[in-house]
C-alpha cells in the first residue's frame, strides 16, 4: 500500500498493515516515538489493532534537543 | 525549592537540550548544572536515514522531568497538536507553550500564545507559556490558570541578557504562580540578575550549550543562580546617588 510517511511517499510491503508492524519495519520498535495517522494520535495500546490503509498520512515523531 | 503545579523541584534551573557539541559534553553539563527539568522539541523522526543517537533515549528518565516545547508552531492549533504528540509519549504532562510570531526576533505571538494556553489548560496540561515581558499579558495568562509564566529576558539565543528588568520585576511582583525567566540569557551575571529580581527560576540553553566550555558554564550558571537567589532572600541595600561612609566619621586620628 502507498502511504505518506513523514512527508515522503512510501510503498509498504503487503504484510506491513498495522502501526506495530510499521514501527518494526523501520526498526523503531524500541525507540521513544509517537505516531499520528491523519492527524489522530495513536495510543501505544492501539498499535497492534490500528490498521493502516492506502493513502494514510502518517507522522512518526520523537523528542529532539531544544530549548 | 521550586513548585510548579503540584510538583516540587530542588533546582531552580531549567536547562534546554539543543545544540551541544556532543552527547558526552551534554551529559556532563546536565549533570553538573543540577537541573531537574529539561526541555525538548518535538520533530519528525529521521526514519529514512541511518539512526542517529537520541539524547533523551540515553537519559535516566526517573531523574528528570521533561518539559517539551511547542517550538515550530505559529498558531495555537499547531501548538496544541505538538503538545498532544508530546503527551502521547506517556513521559510528560507539562508543556512549554512557544508560539513564534516573528521569524527574525523569534518573539512570541501574544494572541496565539494566550489561545494555545487556554486550549491546553482545557486539555489538562500543566502549562508554562513562553511569553514576552509584557506585564498585562502575563496577568492575562495567569488569569487563565497557567502554572508558571516564562517571560523572555531578550530574543531567543541572542545572549543579550535582561533588557527590561523593570517589566520583569513588575511581572514577578504581580504573579502568584512561579515566574521563570526564559530566553536571551547570555552569561552567569544574567542568571544572577534574574534571580535577584525575584524570579523563581531561569530557563536557558544556548548560554551553556554554546559556551566554549559548556560543562564549566553549566556549573557557573548553577552557582550564579544560587548566589542570585540567596541575594534576593537576604534583601539587598537601597541604591543611593551619593557615598555613605562605611567607616566611623568620629575619632579620626589627629582630630
Amino acid at each position: 500500500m502507498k502511504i505518506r510517511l513523514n512527508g515522503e511517499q512510501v510503498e509498504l510491503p503487503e504484510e506491513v498493515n498495522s502501526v506495530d508492524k510499521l514501527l518494526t519495519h523501520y526498526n523503531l520498535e524500541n525507540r521513544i516515538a509517537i505516531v499520528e495517522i491523519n492527524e489522530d494520535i495513536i495510543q501505544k495500546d492501539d498499535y497492534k489493532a490500528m490498521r493502516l490503509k492506502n493513502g494514510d498520512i502518517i507522522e512518526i515523531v520523537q523528542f529532539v534537543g531544544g530549548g | 525549592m521550586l513548585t510548579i503545579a503540584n510538583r516540587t523541584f530542588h533546582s531552580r534551573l531549567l536547562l534546554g537540550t539543543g545544540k551541544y557539541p556532543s552527547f558526552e559534553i551534554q551529559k556532563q553539563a546536565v549533570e553538573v548544572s543540577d537541573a531537574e527539568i529539561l526541555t525538548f522539541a518535538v520533530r519528525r523522526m529521521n526514519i529514512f536515514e541511518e539512526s542517529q543517537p537520541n539524547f533523551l533515549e540515553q537519559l535516566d528518565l526517573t531523574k528528570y522531568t521533561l518539559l517539551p516545547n511547542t517550538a515550530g508552531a505559529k498558531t495555537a492549533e499547531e501548538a496544541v497538536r505538538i503538545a498532544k504528540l508530546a503527551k502521547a509519549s506517556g513521559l510528560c504532562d507539562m508543556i512549554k507553550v512557544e508560539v513564534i510570531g516573528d521569524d527574525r526576533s523569534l518573539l512570541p505571538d501574544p494572541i496565539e500564545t494566550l489561545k494555545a494556553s487556554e486550549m491546553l489548560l482545557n486539555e489538562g496540561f500543566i502549562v508554562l507559556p513562553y511569553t514576552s515581558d509584557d506585564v498585562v499579558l502575563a496577568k492575562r495568562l495567569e488569569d487563565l490558570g497557567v502554572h508558571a509564566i516564562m517571560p523572555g529576558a531578550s530574543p531567543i539565543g541572542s545572549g543579550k541578557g535582561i533588557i527590561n528588568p523593570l517589566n520583569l520585576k513588575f511581572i514577578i511582583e504581580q504573579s502568584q504562580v512561579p515566574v521563570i525567566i526564559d530566553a536571551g540569557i547570555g552569561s552567569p551575571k544574567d542568571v544572577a540578575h534574574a534571580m535577584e529580581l525575584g524570579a523563581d527560576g531561569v530557563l536557558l540553553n544556548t548560554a551553556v550549550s554554546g559556551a566554549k566550555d559548556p560543562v564549566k558554564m553549566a556549573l557557573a550558571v548553577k552557582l550564579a543562580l544560587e548566589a542570585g537567589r540567596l541575594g534576593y532572600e537576604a534583601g539587598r541595600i537601597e541604591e543611593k546617588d551619593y557615598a555613605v561612609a562605611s567607616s566611623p566619621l568620629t575619632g579620626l586620628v589627629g582630630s
Side-chain angles (χ1 to χ4, degrees):
Chain A
M1 93 179 81
K2 282 186 183 148
I3 59 163
R4 194 167 178 86
L5 180 58
N6 283 7
E8 308 256 339
Q9 285 293 343
V10 298
E11 175 121 34
L12 296 177
E14 214 163 292
E15 66 276 13
V16 181
N17 57 4
S18 64
V19 173
D20 67 327
K21 285 177 186 159
L22 179 72
L23 291 174
T24 310
H25 183 68
Y26 285 100
N27 296 318
L28 304 175
E29 63 274 28
N30 296 320
R31 304 286 306 278
I32 297 175
I34 307 119
V35 181
E36 191 192 68
I37 303 183
N38 304 325
E39 299 205 14
D40 281 328
I41 292 166
I42 312 304
Q43 301 301 327
K44 289 191 175 22
D45 294 345
D46 300 330
Y47 280 2
K48 261 196 172 60
M50 189 69 200
R51 298 280 142 190
L52 308 182
K53 15 177 240 312
N54 208 39
D56 274 346
I57 298 173
I58 302 180
E59 296 280 345
I60 302 179
V61 304
Q62 65 177 345
F63 289 112
V64 300
Chain B
M1 297 279 253
L2 170 66
T3 303
I4 300 170
N6 53 355
R7 318 273 171 78
T8 304
F9 304 94
H10 72 256
S11 169
R12 293 178 179 273
L13 182 65
L14 291 77
L15 196 61
T17 58
K19 301 196 293 187
Y20 284 81
S22 74
F23 276 167
E24 198 38 55
I25 289 174
Q26 181 168 14
K27 268 191 216 166
Q28 286 178 43
V30 168
E31 186 81 33
V32 163
S33 76
D34 205 29
E36 285 174 278
I37 303 176
L38 302 178
T39 64
F40 287 90
V42 176
R43 290 289 181 272
R44 277 176 171 165
M45 257 185 167
N46 250 342
I47 44 184
F48 306 112
E49 288 162 29
E50 190 67 25
S51 140
Q52 303 287 319
N54 180 291
F55 181 69
L56 180 88
E57 290 171 356
Q58 300 181 20
L59 210 59
D60 177 359
L61 292 175
T62 60
K63 278 170 66 183
Y64 297 100
T65 295
L66 308 188
L67 176 59
N69 64 35
T70 64
K74 291 191 168 173
T75 65
E77 288 73 20
E78 285 168 7
V80 170
R81 183 181 181 187
I82 296 169
K84 285 182 174 175
L85 284 166
K87 197 177 184 179
S89 68
L91 300 172
C92 48
D93 55 5
M94 295 210 304
I95 189 78
K96 168 176 163 175
V97 176
E98 179 175 344
V99 188
I100 298 303
D102 175 53
D103 287 337
R104 203 148 166 246
S105 64
L106 295 181
L107 286 170
D109 184 322
I111 294 158
E112 296 300 315
T113 300
L114 195 76
K115 264 171 66 183
S117 296
E118 185 166 29
M119 290 160 82
L120 290 166
L121 285 165
N122 288 337
E123 298 272 350
F125 282 83
I126 296 174
V127 177
L128 295 80
Y130 160 61
T131 171
S132 64
D133 57 21
D134 188 286
V135 180
V136 180
L137 177 62
K139 186 80 188 76
R140 294 286 297 268
L141 286 163
E142 184 173 358
D143 290 345
L144 281 181
V146 299
H147 300 86
I149 311 271
M150 304 210 294
S154 51
I156 294 172
S158 70
K160 274 200 177 300
I162 296 174
I163 53 174
N164 196 339
L166 188 64
N167 271 24
L168 293 183
K169 195 173 135 227
F170 288 161
I171 292 172
I172 290 163
E173 280 172 3
Q174 77 181 4
S175 299
Q176 303 300 312
V177 293
V179 176
I180 295 160
I181 307 303
D182 180 4
I185 296 290
S187 72
K189 97 174 176 346
D190 302 330
V191 175
H193 189 185
M195 296 311 291
E196 280 197 57
L197 288 171
D200 297 279
V202 171
L203 196 170
L204 56 83
N205 185 341
T206 314
V208 166
S209 67
K212 260 189 208 153
D213 183 341
V215 180
K216 196 171 265 185
M217 189 58 86
L219 178 61
V221 297
K222 169 192 182 286
L223 296 173
L225 186 139
E226 287 169 5
R229 179 67 192 180
L230 282 173
Y232 170 73
E233 288 173 1
R236 58 153 296 155
I237 59 163
E238 294 275 327
E239 263 184 60
K240 299 179 191 74
D241 283 343
Y242 292 98
V244 181
S246 308
S247 308
L249 296 174
T250 55
L252 294 178
V253 177
S255 60

